[in-house]
């Protein structure tokens, strides 16, 4: 079921940020930051689909159809080398800690429930 969700007009940050804070405080809003937010802190882990596909391709010789496509690469690795191999590769790829970025710190500083 799709819920009707209000949208915010992002033209005025002075209005938008308090509205977001109020929505978080009232537990009506859950932030989905997306993978691009982590990229702001330049982590050593992939932060987009292309980077994940490249990381898998460095570790496993992939057929042409799977190169550059993280879903096809994962499917190939799982079917040819077993799920445990894919799990191990993903743990290795995402092993480095990612430091919180400015938006993460802002949200943490709100001290919400």
């Amino acid at each position: 079921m799709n819920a009707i969700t209000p949208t915010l007009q992002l033209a005025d940050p002075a209005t938008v940020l308090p509205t977001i804070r109020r929505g978080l405080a009232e537990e009506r809003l859950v932030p989905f930051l997306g993978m691009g937010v982590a990229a702001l802190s330049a982590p050593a882990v992939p932060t987009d689909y292309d980077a994940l596909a490249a990381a898998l391709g460095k570790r496993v010789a992939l057929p042409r159809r799977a190169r550059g496509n993280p879903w096809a690469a994962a499917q190939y690795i799982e079917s040819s080398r077993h799920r445990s191999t894919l799990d191990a590769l993903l743990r290795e790829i995402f092993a480095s800690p990612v430091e919180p970025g400015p938006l993460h710190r802002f949200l943490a500083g709100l001290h919400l429930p």
Side-chain angles (χ1 to χ4, degrees):
M1 174 169 87
N2 292 330
I4 297 173
T5 56
T7 57
L8 296 173
Q9 298 302 319
L10 299 179
D12 182 16
T15 303
V16 172
L17 290 177
T19 302
I20 291 172
R21 187 184 197 300
R22 196 169 38 258
L24 290 168
E26 294 170 359
E27 297 182 8
R28 294 182 296 107
L29 181 66
V30 175
F32 173 74
L33 303 180
M35 61 187 170
V37 173
L40 297 174
S41 52
V45 300
T47 57
D48 63 29
Y49 301 126
D50 292 334
L52 177 56
L56 289 169
K58 283 182 184 176
R59 289 161 174 82
V60 174
L62 298 171
R64 185 183 324 192
R65 67 168 180 77
R67 290 182 207 141
N69 181 330
W71 297 277
Q75 183 178 22
Y76 173 79
I77 294 166
E78 182 178 29
S79 64
S80 66
R81 304 248 182 122
H82 200 271
R83 176 61 186 236
S84 60
T85 301
L86 177 60
D87 289 344
L89 290 172
L90 291 172
R91 278 193 297 277
E92 177 186 326
I93 290 168
F94 290 104
S96 297
V98 176
E99 289 295 317
L103 183 56
H104 299 111
R105 293 183 197 286
F106 167 76
L107 290 172
L110 295 177
H111 304 291
L112 299 169

